[in-house]
Amino acid sequence: MPCRIDRAFLFILNTNEMRCNSMKGKIKANDLVQGAKQSFPDFKVNSSGELMQDAPLSPSLAENRDMLKRVFANDGTFISRDFSSETPGFATGFAVYFDGLVKNEVIYESVLRPVITANLPITSPEMMAERIIVNIETKIVTTAGECFDAMFSGDSVVFLEGFNRAVVASTKGFPVRPPEEPMAEKALL
């Protein structure tokens, strides 16, 4: 099942300079697919130019980071934070999330800080989820679509070098408006 991402389409169109005006309002489907395949060579793209829901993550941090930065290039709320363990060789990676949908202090205190200060090598995303990030709910994801869904839901996604899996950490922090009496329906006593 495809994961429709309008920002990815805008990026693909801008990257390949396929503007509607220059093409007299028509964009050929084949050109869009070719543009998507050039922009995301390591990820599955369907015949409509959409990133596929089941596109697997890459074991390369650089490829995953590049894919995410391309998809969310025009989104000012997209945040990517690189990290590496205080002990060389223990863990290198990055976390991604949308500002305003997460609690920043939870990301730092419950995700990044434990990973950076871990006194044992992180040998897999599963090990990180079970033994390092212990204060919040986590799950393992393997596809680009699962990462996008988690981020759009207010979670953070943590990638480690050398693994084609990522850890989703529950860091939701939606702004909450306190309950108040509606202005239009005030009760008259």
Side-chain angles (χ1 to χ4, degrees):
M1 174 159 220
C3 176
R4 190 175 267 289
I5 302 168
D6 293 334
R7 291 181 187 118
F9 286 111
L10 294 175
F11 171 78
I12 292 164
L13 293 175
N14 290 337
T15 300
N16 295 299
E17 297 180 15
M18 291 189 280
R19 293 183 176 38
C20 290
N21 292 338
S22 66
M23 298 182 73
K24 298 181 182 175
K26 295 182 181 177
I27 298 173
K28 296 177 184 173
N30 191 42
D31 292 339
L32 184 61
V33 172
Q34 291 306 318
K37 287 180 179 175
Q38 289 173 1
S39 297
F40 305 103
D42 299 321
F43 296 91
K44 291 183 184 178
V45 178
N46 70 11
S47 61
S48 301
E50 299 169 322
L51 285 175
M52 295 298 289
Q53 184 78 6
D54 61 347
L57 296 175
S58 170
S60 166
L61 273 183
E63 289 178 19
N64 288 324
R65 181 184 297 113
D66 188 45
M67 181 268 302
L68 289 164
K69 285 187 176 183
R70 286 182 190 182
V71 170
F72 302 113
N74 296 323
D75 190 336
T77 62
F78 174 75
I79 307 292
S80 175
R81 295 186 65 186
D82 293 345
F83 64 83
S84 60
S85 173
E86 290 176 346
T87 306
F90 275 18
T92 301
F94 69 95
V96 291
Y97 55 91
F98 289 114
D99 192 27
L101 294 182
V102 299
K103 290 183 180 177
N104 290 331
E105 60 277 357
V106 173
I107 292 171
Y108 179 73
E109 291 295 326
S110 297
V111 179
L112 296 177
R113 187 169 162 210
V115 171
I116 291 169
T117 61
N119 59 2
L120 66 156
I122 298 175
T123 57
S124 71
E126 292 82 4
M127 182 267 198
M128 181 173 67
E130 293 170 7
R131 298 185 63 193
I132 307 294
I133 305 174
V134 295
N135 294 334
I136 56 176
E137 184 180 340
T138 60
K139 72 176 183 177
I140 304 297
V141 295
T142 59
T143 66
E146 290 174 312
C147 292
F148 298 143
D149 290 344
M151 291 169 55
F152 292 141
S153 298
D155 292 329
S156 300
V157 183
V158 183
F159 294 84
L160 292 174
E161 181 64 53
F163 297 99
N164 61 351
R165 302 174 308 282
V167 177
V168 172
S170 179
T171 56
K172 292 174 180 65
F174 302 112
V176 179
R177 193 172 105 194
E180 53 188 52
E181 189 173 343
M183 295 299 288
E185 299 177 16
K186 287 201 177 238
L188 299 174
L189 297 175

